[in-house]
Amino acid sequence: MIYPKPVQNLIALFTKLPGIGPRQAARFSFFILKENNSFLQNLISALQEAGKKVSVCGQCFRTVERSDDAPLLCVFCKDSRREKTIIAVVEKESDMQELEKTSAYHGLYHVLGGVISPLDPESPKRLHLKTLHERVRTLLGTNPEVEVILATNSTTEGDTTALYLERILEPLKNQHQGLKISRLGRGLSLGSELEYADEVTLKNALTNRK
Amino acid sequence: MIYPKPVQNLIALFTKLPGIGPRQAARFSFFILKENNSFLQNLISALQEAGKKVSVCGQCFRTVERSDDAPLLCVFCKDSRREKTIIAVVEKESDMQELEKTSAYHGLYHVLGGVISPLDPESPKRLHLKTLHERVRTLLGTNPEVEVILATNSTTEGDTTALYLERILEPLKNQHQGLKISRLGRGLSLGSELEYADEVTLKNALTNRK
Amino acid sequence: MIYPKPVQNLIALFTKLPGIGPRQAARFSFFILKENNSFLQNLISALQEAGKKVSVCGQCFRTVERSDDAPLLCVFCKDSRREKTIIAVVEKESDMQELEKTSAYHGLYHVLGGVISPLDPESPKRLHLKTLHERVRTLLGTNPEVEVILATNSTTEGDTTALYLERILEPLKNQHQGLKISRLGRGLSLGSELEYADEVTLKNALTNRK
Amino acid sequence: MIYPKPVQNLIALFTKLPGIGPRQAARFSFFILKENNSFLQNLISALQEAGKKVSVCGQCFRTVERSDDAPLLCVFCKDSRREKTIIAVVEKESDMQELEKTSAYHGLYHVLGGVISPLDPESPKRLHLKTLHERVRTLLGTNPEVEVILATNSTTEGDTTALYLERILEPLKNQHQGLKISRLGRGLSLGSELEYADEVTLKNALTNRK
């Protein structure tokens, strides 16, 4: 069945959203086009406003509201109670929120803006890597101890990205004894049973016992 | 953690899309805002174009590309090979596509634009009910036999909607012997086993045996 | 890791139970062997008693408690309120229970004792087919109308079995106008939505509309 | 629907197996009773043999084949290449197998035979607790360093059990500096994403970073 061209275009764009297939993209499109255009207009306005008013923090790259101040810093980067010598490197901004929810982290963040894909040699260029290196280098100039937590996902791409980051930061580590590079702990997650855990996780749980 | 206001607005709107919770709405927003604005601009353009160029069929209410012809009819409603005296009433346009995929249906459609919710007395007003009644009445004026298939989902809301439609069409049925109102068959779906089927489905399967 | 031989034997046997893999079979074995032998002894006794005292109904092949009466009939086959001219043919005894739960069936049953597998030419020999044919033939001698409901699963094996049964009963049908062979209705199951239904089910739902 | 008494007894027993509900217990029973009694007899024999020939290791309580030697030791407890001063305490024997599969553990085991349930004050009595205490005490008499790994599940019952074990072993720890009590590492399991991890697991992952 062929939809009108403008509907097809919408569906094609929605299919690019993370986790959305053609079927749900079609549902979105018909939902948006059904609603007497009030939702449609609201969505256009919200997107336009976001495009105009949203920028990213000049230090950690999370989204912030654009202002006249320069350079633009987010509330965390401006917050004097945050530990400025600990940086958790996350793949995307929503991961920050998950770490914040734990109330167990009081350092700063660095939003990479994606992961390194072993299949896509261009992928490193799209990430905020140089700025991370520079940020850590500057911190080491004035602080005896700096920690970078590679808080990427426990997936193939997350691990590849963490390895890449380690390699990039290694020269700094060789120069500065005070640079510590760590990764999130691996092991049993809450509620997991030995019987259903995979071997890698069990091995990590044994190695990281304490 | 507080996101910038324009990001919050976007998340709030995406949460209204069918099947989308706040977490995925946040992922959408960060995905859209990350992409150097090319995706953002493309989405705005696609939405604007859809708003301008998409209208609905004057007879069955599926989406069509706007044109100068009036009244506007979709390809199905214009297609002379389709059986014009059979109308499948569906909740939303994507359900049409599912029925088309079977290649077993050759009649026309009527897109209600939603369901009747027992909890929302305003819900009938938002559906294309009057136009359905009028469409069936007109057909009965020139055709001895007309069938309306109530092709709503097998859910509480779908069943409520079908019951409501039956009540609306009943006066026409009393006047015209030739009006047949049917519902999609109920019973075992492909691959289902008696052991895991619910009692209502098994009862339907027994009653509808043939 | 190698378990003691008797434990391995137990695991191997439990793996033959429907739906049980080696991991759960091991859990069963350790559970049974752990329990200070009280569970083990109870299970052995229950199995021995079942082996001694359980037989099958001479007419429908469901399990019954052995007695001195001959031939042995189950409570359904003896129940004068049951419609004796309707026979639901089920794959296994637990399927009877599902049909009984609906309270919508008042005929008798015939437990085949399995399905016909297209890959196993010996499979028909293991089923109660001849006795079904004989049972239907006898009924037709004294009743003007007899119905056989092929209540097999909506799976490939269930469908193959139903087709095989139809072929076996066809000669009787050619001789007796009063023999009706039916199958459980196919269509949407309770709660299913058009959008997530498979094409075959939707086609059945359209064809079996009413 | 009422099954014959011996069938009901079987179903009731099978329902006690870990993870088995009444429906699957019924399937097991009909499967066993259907099979011309060959499976039934094999199962009875296997259970009888297991009851006669299977005993448990006098040190770690995993199952072993009974023999004339006394005391009976399993292959691990007899294996001189295993590290005798590291004991992984597991809930049940199948958990041993999971740890063995990792090839990352070379110590010995102690099978508790269950967990401590906060709701069942009798539950500690059913576990091999005293023997664990005695085993650790004896080891500490001849070894400067002993490690007990509390390898229980990351569930409420597993955690309760580990806490209980810690309390039991605490007096020994106070007397012997060389006793180390550890737990399996907690954190992200293989393949898990920050976005879908629960807060406790993320907190553990942060705390246990390295």
Side-chain angles (χ1 to χ4, degrees):
Chain A
M1 194 161 82
I2 298 157
Y3 297 127
K5 191 88 184 103
V7 178
Q8 285 182 47
N9 289 343
L10 258 191
I11 294 174
L13 275 173
F14 284 135
T15 311
K16 290 186 183 167
L17 291 176
I20 298 305
R23 183 171 287 194
Q24 207 168 357
R27 290 186 80 177
F28 288 178
S29 304
F30 292 125
F31 175 84
I32 289 171
L33 292 168
K34 186 193 72 159
E35 288 259 311
N36 274 327
N37 281 11
S38 81
F39 185 87
L40 177 67
Q41 289 310 328
N42 291 344
L43 184 54
I44 291 174
S45 305
L47 288 166
Q48 284 173 328
E49 191 174 292
K52 247 179 273 168
K53 296 208 184 146
V54 175
S55 185
V56 291
C57 171
Q59 181 167 271
C60 77
F61 298 100
R62 66 181 285 226
T63 56
V64 286
E65 204 155 349
R66 205 184 289 278
S67 79
D68 297 335
D69 309 350
L72 209 57
L73 285 187
C74 75
V75 285
F76 289 168
C77 287
K78 279 194 261 189
D79 187 343
S80 62
R81 289 160 306 180
R82 290 263 168 179
E83 297 180 51
K84 293 193 163 16
T85 56
I86 307 184
I87 300 172
V89 184
V90 293
E91 298 179 6
K92 55 193 183 302
E93 186 163 345
S94 42
D95 291 345
M96 287 178 62
Q97 188 168 30
E98 301 307 318
L99 293 176
E100 282 298 300
K101 275 188 197 157
T102 64
S103 307
Y105 182 67
H106 307 290
L108 298 182
Y109 293 94
H110 192 88
V111 179
L112 280 180
V115 284
I116 286 174
S117 160
L119 300 170
D120 177 5
E122 298 293 302
S123 56
K125 295 186 192 162
R126 285 193 292 271
L127 307 187
H128 299 299
L129 296 172
K130 264 195 205 159
T131 45
L132 175 66
H133 184 275
E134 185 56 24
R135 195 177 161 189
V136 175
R137 205 183 56 77
T138 308
L139 269 179
L140 285 166
T142 51
N143 294 280
E145 292 204 333
V146 170
E147 180 177 2
V148 176
I149 305 172
L150 305 176
T152 53
N153 288 334
S154 173
T155 58
T156 310
E157 293 197 331
D159 284 345
T160 306
T161 307
L163 273 172
Y164 196 95
L165 290 169
E166 277 181 348
R167 225 167 35 207
I168 282 179
L169 297 173
E170 211 174 5
L172 289 176
K173 207 180 163 181
N174 292 339
Q175 293 161 34
H176 299 266
Q177 299 275 339
L179 175 57
K180 187 180 162 196
I181 298 172
S182 62
R183 290 212 207 176
L184 293 179
R186 302 292 167 90
L188 294 179
S189 58
L190 184 71
S192 74
E193 301 183 30
L194 274 68
E195 208 165 350
Y196 302 108
D198 61 280
E199 287 174 34
V200 175
T201 297
L202 271 184
K203 202 167 183 169
N204 286 330
L206 274 168
T207 314
N208 301 334
R209 70 182 185 262
K210 61 170 208 174
Chain B
M1 193 161 84
I2 299 157
Y3 296 128
K5 191 87 184 107
V7 178
Q8 286 181 46
N9 289 342
L10 258 191
I11 292 175
L13 275 172
F14 284 135
T15 310
K16 291 185 182 167
L17 291 176
I20 297 306
R23 184 171 287 194
Q24 207 168 358
R27 289 187 80 177
F28 288 179
S29 304
F30 292 125
F31 175 83
I32 288 171
L33 292 168
K34 187 193 73 160
E35 288 259 312
N36 273 326
N37 280 9
S38 80
F39 185 87
L40 177 68
Q41 290 309 329
N42 291 344
L43 184 55
I44 291 174
S45 306
L47 288 165
Q48 285 173 329
E49 191 174 293
K52 248 178 275 168
K53 297 209 183 144
V54 174
S55 186
V56 291
C57 172
Q59 181 168 273
C60 76
F61 298 99
R62 67 180 286 226
T63 56
V64 286
E65 204 155 350
R66 205 182 288 278
S67 79
D68 298 334
D69 309 350
L72 208 56
L73 285 187
C74 74
V75 284
F76 289 168
C77 287
K78 279 195 262 188
D79 187 342
S80 62
R81 291 159 306 179
R82 289 265 169 177
E83 296 180 52
K84 294 195 162 13
T85 56
I86 307 183
I87 300 173
V89 184
V90 293
E91 299 179 6
K92 54 191 184 303
E93 186 163 345
S94 42
D95 292 345
M96 288 179 61
Q97 187 167 30
E98 301 307 318
L99 293 176
E100 282 298 300
K101 275 189 197 156
T102 65
S103 307
Y105 183 66
H106 306 290
L108 298 181
Y109 293 94
H110 192 89
V111 179
L112 280 179
V115 284
I116 286 173
S117 160
L119 300 169
D120 177 6
E122 298 292 302
S123 55
K125 294 187 192 163
R126 285 193 291 271
L127 308 187
H128 299 299
L129 295 171
K130 265 194 206 158
T131 45
L132 175 66
H133 185 275
E134 185 56 26
R135 193 176 162 190
V136 175
R137 206 184 55 77
T138 308
L139 269 180
L140 285 166
T142 51
N143 295 279
E145 293 202 334
V146 171
E147 180 176 2
V148 176
I149 305 171
L150 305 177
T152 51
N153 288 334
S154 172
T155 58
T156 311
E157 294 198 330
D159 284 345
T160 306
T161 307
L163 273 171
Y164 195 96
L165 291 169
E166 277 180 349
R167 226 165 37 208
I168 282 180
L169 297 174
E170 210 173 7
L172 288 177
K173 207 180 164 181
N174 292 339
Q175 292 161 35
H176 300 265
Q177 300 274 338
L179 176 56
K180 187 180 161 196
I181 298 172
S182 62
R183 288 213 208 175
L184 293 179
R186 301 293 167 90
L188 294 179
S189 58
L190 184 71
S192 73
E193 301 183 30
L194 274 68
E195 208 165 350
Y196 302 107
D198 60 281
E199 286 174 35
V200 175
T201 296
L202 270 184
K203 202 167 184 168
N204 286 330
L206 273 167
T207 314
N208 300 334
R209 69 181 185 264
K210 62 170 208 176
Chain C
M1 193 161 84
I2 298 156
Y3 296 128
K5 192 88 185 104
V7 178
Q8 286 181 48
N9 289 343
L10 257 192
I11 294 175
L13 275 173
F14 284 135
T15 310
K16 290 186 183 167
L17 291 176
I20 298 305
R23 183 172 288 194
Q24 206 168 358
R27 288 186 82 176
F28 288 178
S29 303
F30 292 124
F31 175 84
I32 289 170
L33 292 168
K34 184 193 75 160
E35 288 259 311
N36 274 327
N37 280 9
S38 80
F39 185 87
L40 177 70
Q41 290 309 328
N42 291 344
L43 184 55
I44 291 173
S45 305
L47 288 166
Q48 284 173 329
E49 191 174 293
K52 246 180 273 166
K53 295 209 185 147
V54 174
S55 185
V56 290
C57 171
Q59 181 167 272
C60 76
F61 298 100
R62 66 180 285 226
T63 56
V64 286
E65 204 155 350
R66 205 182 289 277
S67 80
D68 297 336
D69 308 349
L72 208 55
L73 285 187
C74 75
V75 283
F76 290 167
C77 287
K78 278 193 261 188
D79 187 342
S80 62
R81 290 158 307 178
R82 289 264 168 178
E83 296 179 54
K84 296 196 159 16
T85 57
I86 307 184
I87 300 172
V89 184
V90 293
E91 298 179 6
K92 54 194 183 302
E93 186 163 346
S94 41
D95 291 344
M96 289 179 62
Q97 187 167 30
E98 301 307 319
L99 292 176
E100 282 298 301
K101 276 188 196 158
T102 67
S103 306
Y105 183 67
H106 307 290
L108 297 182
Y109 292 94
H110 193 89
V111 179
L112 280 179
V115 284
I116 285 173
S117 160
L119 300 169
D120 177 6
E122 298 292 302
S123 55
K125 295 186 192 162
R126 285 193 291 271
L127 307 187
H128 299 299
L129 296 171
K130 264 195 206 157
T131 45
L132 174 66
H133 184 275
E134 185 56 25
R135 194 177 162 190
V136 175
R137 205 182 58 75
T138 309
L139 269 179
L140 284 166
T142 50
N143 295 280
E145 294 201 334
V146 170
E147 180 177 2
V148 176
I149 305 172
L150 305 176
T152 52
N153 288 334
S154 173
T155 57
T156 310
E157 293 196 331
D159 284 344
T160 305
T161 307
L163 272 171
Y164 195 97
L165 290 169
E166 276 180 350
R167 226 168 33 211
I168 282 179
L169 297 174
E170 210 174 7
L172 288 177
K173 207 181 165 182
N174 292 341
Q175 292 161 34
H176 299 266
Q177 300 274 340
L179 176 56
K180 186 179 161 197
I181 299 172
S182 62
R183 289 211 208 177
L184 293 179
R186 302 291 167 91
L188 294 179
S189 59
L190 184 71
S192 73
E193 303 183 29
L194 273 68
E195 207 166 350
Y196 303 107
D198 61 279
E199 288 174 34
V200 175
T201 296
L202 270 184
K203 201 168 185 169
N204 286 330
L206 274 168
T207 314
N208 301 334
R209 69 181 185 263
K210 61 167 207 174
Chain D
M1 193 162 85
I2 299 157
Y3 297 127
K5 192 86 183 105
V7 178
Q8 287 181 47
N9 289 343
L10 257 192
I11 293 175
L13 275 173
F14 283 134
T15 310
K16 291 186 183 168
L17 290 176
I20 298 305
R23 183 171 288 193
Q24 207 168 359
R27 289 186 80 176
F28 287 178
S29 303
F30 293 124
F31 175 84
I32 289 170
L33 292 168
K34 186 193 75 161
E35 290 258 310
N36 274 326
N37 281 8
S38 81
F39 185 87
L40 177 68
Q41 289 310 328
N42 291 344
L43 183 55
I44 291 173
S45 305
L47 288 165
Q48 285 173 328
E49 191 174 293
K52 245 178 276 167
K53 296 209 185 146
V54 174
S55 187
V56 290
C57 171
Q59 180 168 273
C60 75
F61 297 100
R62 65 179 286 225
T63 55
V64 286
E65 204 155 350
R66 205 182 288 277
S67 78
D68 298 335
D69 309 349
L72 209 54
L73 286 186
C74 74
V75 283
F76 290 167
C77 288
K78 277 193 264 188
D79 187 343
S80 62
R81 289 158 308 178
R82 289 262 168 178
E83 297 179 52
K84 294 195 161 16
T85 56
I86 307 183
I87 301 173
V89 183
V90 293
E91 298 179 6
K92 54 193 184 302
E93 185 162 347
S94 41
D95 291 344
M96 288 178 61
Q97 187 166 32
E98 301 307 318
L99 292 175
E100 282 298 301
K101 276 188 196 158
T102 65
S103 306
Y105 183 68
H106 307 290
L108 297 182
Y109 293 94
H110 192 88
V111 180
L112 280 179
V115 284
I116 285 173
S117 160
L119 300 169
D120 177 5
E122 298 292 302
S123 55
K125 294 187 192 162
R126 285 193 292 270
L127 307 187
H128 299 299
L129 295 171
K130 264 195 206 158
T131 44
L132 175 65
H133 184 275
E134 184 57 25
R135 193 176 163 191
V136 176
R137 206 183 56 76
T138 309
L139 268 180
L140 284 166
T142 50
N143 295 279
E145 293 202 333
V146 170
E147 180 176 1
V148 176
I149 305 172
L150 306 177
T152 52
N153 288 334
S154 173
T155 57
T156 310
E157 294 197 331
D159 284 344
T160 307
T161 307
L163 272 172
Y164 196 97
L165 291 169
E166 276 180 350
R167 227 168 35 210
I168 283 180
L169 297 174
E170 210 174 6
L172 288 177
K173 207 180 165 182
N174 293 339
Q175 292 161 35
H176 300 266
Q177 299 275 340
L179 176 57
K180 186 179 161 198
I181 299 173
S182 62
R183 288 212 208 176
L184 292 180
R186 300 293 167 90
L188 295 179
S189 58
L190 184 71
S192 73
E193 304 183 28
L194 273 69
E195 208 166 350
Y196 302 108
D198 61 281
E199 288 174 33
V200 175
T201 296
L202 271 184
K203 202 167 184 169
N204 287 330
L206 273 167
T207 314
N208 301 333
R209 70 182 186 263
K210 61 167 208 177

